[in-house]
Amino acid sequence: MPIIMKKNKKRKNTKRKPCVFCLEQMEYIDYKNTEIISKFINAHGKILPSRSTGTCSRHQRLLSTAIKRARIMALIPFTAERIRR
C-alpha cells in the first residue's frame, strides 16, 4: 500500500506588527494608566493576545500583570457592562 504524503502549506510572508512598547522604549507598564491598558482589552474584558496586538513576549507579560493589577484596584472592570446584567 503506498503512503500518501501531505504537502506542506507555506506560510504567507506577512510582516509582523512592531511592539508599541519597544518603539516607545517603555521599561515598565503602569497599571494606573488605564488609557494605554484599555487598548489591549476587547469588548468583553479579555486580554488580547500578542499575535493580534503585536506586542513582544516580554511586554505582553508586563501588560497582563498591569491589567490584572488594574482590575484588582477597580480601575478597569473584570467584565463588560452588558455581560454583568
Side-chain angles (χ1 to χ4, degrees), residues 1-2 14 22 24 31-32 37 48 53-54 69-70 72 76 83:
M1 208 185 311
T14 57
C22 287
E24 295 179 7
Y31 69 92
K32 292 173 271 184
I37 289 175
L48 292 173
T53 58
R69 285 178 182 165
I72 291 170
I76 55 174
I83 295 174

Side-chain angles (χ1 to χ4, degrees), residues 63-81:
L63 181 68
S64 64
T65 56
I67 290 170
K68 291 173 186 176
R69 285 178 182 165
R71 284 175 177 165
I72 291 170
M73 297 297 290
L75 299 175
I76 55 174
F78 279 93
T79 58
E81 180 67 31

Side-chain angles (χ1 to χ4, degrees), residues 31-42:
Y31 69 92
K32 292 173 271 184
N33 195 349
T34 57
E35 295 173 4
I36 294 175
I37 289 175
S38 62
K39 294 177 185 177
F40 297 95
I41 299 174
N42 68 3

Side-chain angles (χ1 to χ4, degrees), residues 11-18 51-52 54:
R11 286 185 173 179
K12 293 180 182 178
N13 291 336
T14 57
K15 194 170 185 180
R16 191 162 183 231
K17 287 183 185 178
R51 66 179 176 269
S52 64

